Amino acid sequence: RKSKTELFIRKFARIYTPIVVFLAIGLTFLPYFFVDDYVFRDWLYRALIFLVISCPCALVISIPLGYFGGLGAASRNGILFKGASFLDAMTKVNTVVMDKTGTVTKGVFKIKEVVNKSAFAEAEFMQYLMAMEEQSTHPIAKAILEYKADGADLEASEVSEVAGKGLKGTVNGKTVLVGNKALMTLNSIEVPSETD
C-alpha cells in the first residue's frame, strides 16, 4: 500500500514531466521565430540544461526509495509493515501498549484455560488434539503441545491442511477436525455459541 506522499508524487510527475518535456522542445525551436541570430546547437544546449535543472528525479525516485529503505530497515529488526502507508501511520503513534504473555512482543501463544464441551473427558480430548497438532507448524499448535509437555499417546494419519481453516486427519480410526468455526461449518458441525 502506497503512502499519500508517494501517490501525490506519482500524480505530480505524471503531469509535471510532460509539461517540462514540451517546454524544452519549445525552448529549442520557438526562438527560431523570434531571434535574429538563431543557432540550433546553442538553443538545444539551453533546452538540455533546462531539462537537467527541472528534472523531477530527485522527488520521483527519492521518496519511494526512502520508504523502501525504511521498510527494509524495519524488517531487518524484525518489524514487518504491510506497506508505506503504515510506515507513515507509525509517525503519529505516541503510545504503545504491550502484553505480558509475549503474544505481541514475541509472537508466542500460551494456553491459559481449556474449556471442553465435547463428549470426551479432557485427557482423552487433549490426546486427540495433540496427535493432530504434532503434524502442524502453526504457532497455536506449538502452544497446545507445550500445554501438555508429555506429548500425545495417539498418532494421527492422513493429516491434510484446509487452507485458512485448520487440519483434517484420522486418529485412532476416527476422523478428527482441528480448526476454526469455518472448518466446522464446512463439515456441518454445530459450534457452541460461547465461541463467537
Side-chain angles (χ1 to χ4, degrees):
R1 295 185 190 179
K2 305 284 182 198
S3 69
K4 287 180 183 176
T5 315
E6 279 182 285
L7 293 172
F8 170 75
I9 290 299
R10 189 175 283 183
K11 285 178 187 172
F12 172 76
R14 199 176 291 148
I15 297 163
Y16 177 80
T17 307
I19 290 170
V20 167
V21 170
F22 284 119
L23 285 173
I25 292 168
L27 189 60
T28 306
F29 297 108
L30 288 177
Y32 174 79
F33 302 103
F34 304 105
V35 178
D36 295 330
D37 58 341
Y38 174 81
V39 178
F40 173 77
R41 187 175 172 174
D42 291 347
W43 286 99
L44 176 64
Y45 184 72
R46 287 173 185 151
L48 291 173
I49 291 170
F50 171 73
L51 276 174
V52 170
I53 291 168
S54 58
C55 180
C57 287
L59 287 172
V60 176
I61 294 171
S62 66
I63 289 175
L65 202 60
Y67 281 109
F68 182 73
L71 293 170
S75 67
R76 274 197 306 276
N77 290 295
I79 303 165
L80 297 177
F81 289 98
K82 279 188 169 184
S85 59
F86 298 103
L87 202 59
D88 272 351
M90 285 301 291
T91 62
K92 298 179 180 108
V93 172
N94 57 23
T95 307
V96 177
V97 179
M98 293 292 181
D99 68 333
K100 61 180 182 167
T101 61
T103 307
V104 173
T105 50
K106 294 179 183 174
V108 177
F109 294 94
K110 194 169 185 180
I111 293 175
K112 286 177 66 178
E113 182 186 0
V114 174
V115 179
N116 182 14
K117 295 277 183 178
S118 71
F120 297 101
E122 186 179 317
E124 190 181 359
F125 170 78
M126 288 303 291
Q127 285 297 314
Y128 279 91
L129 177 62
M130 287 190 302
M132 290 292 288
E133 295 295 14
E134 280 178 349
Q135 308 294 318
S136 177
T137 56
H138 196 280
I140 293 176
K142 291 178 184 174
I144 290 167
L145 294 172
E146 283 176 17
Y147 180 72
K148 292 284 186 185
D150 51 344
D153 295 331
L154 302 173
E155 198 170 306
S157 61
E158 300 169 23
V159 178
S160 61
E161 189 175 330
V162 183
K165 294 181 176 72
L167 299 171
K168 183 177 184 176
T170 306
V171 180
N172 204 20
K174 296 181 176 100
T175 300
V176 179
L177 299 169
V178 176
N180 58 22
K181 188 175 180 178
L183 180 68
M184 302 306 147
T185 306
L186 186 70
N187 289 275
S188 306
I189 296 170
E190 208 172 301
V191 178
S193 58
E194 293 93 327
T195 60
D196 290 343

